[in-house]
Amino acid sequence: MAVAAEDLDVVTIVKRKRPAGTRSWRGYVVAVDERGAGVFTPAGSGHTGTDRDGPTSTCEVAQDAQGRGRDSIILLPHAAWFVAHWVLGSEYVVHVDIATPPRESRDEWQFDDLELDPLLRRDGSFVVDDEDEFAAACASGLISETEREAALLEVESLRADLILGTLVVEGLDYLHASAGRTLPKL
């Protein structure tokens, strides 16, 4: 039985950058299970960013190289140190932000980006981007020792999980099921 858009909760996702800056967008909660909440954002929905210098920019969520937004889903785990993104037609199977465990408050989810970005490529290879930014943030004190250790452990845990595919398959299933629905842009 299909669920109508008006029956789905809409939440705002706020990704905080350290020392300043945010990225935010909205999405429909399409799944909640033992792993976390799956939030789908239809192509054409808005994404707002505020940089540390203050300027705000708005674009479409999950833009491709031509600037067109794409359907995407994000997994906000209940207690893990990551947030995973699947984007329809992406060059990656899944892109992960290593982050503080997402916190939910009413209709908003927040997390702090800890710079490391594990990726599962279409060829099956696992890579970690932004290790230099992570090292610099740790050295400058923007990332605490506790957060550094948790981030590095999460990368290794994800390496196994993404290569084995359980998390990948679940995310892709939710993405394709949600992309097949007619939900208004947010």
Side-chain angles (χ1 to χ4, degrees), residues 34-36 76-82 99-102 109 154:
E34 67 281 347
R35 204 183 279 269
L76 298 155
H78 295 301
W81 286 75
F82 75 90
T100 58
W109 285 84
E154 195 67 68

Side-chain angles (χ1 to χ4, degrees), residues 83-104:
V83 173
H85 308 260
W86 291 264
V87 176
L88 201 60
S90 174
E91 58 277 15
Y92 304 107
V93 175
V94 61
H95 170 268
V96 178
D97 282 320
I98 297 299
T100 58
R103 298 168 304 284
E104 180 183 15

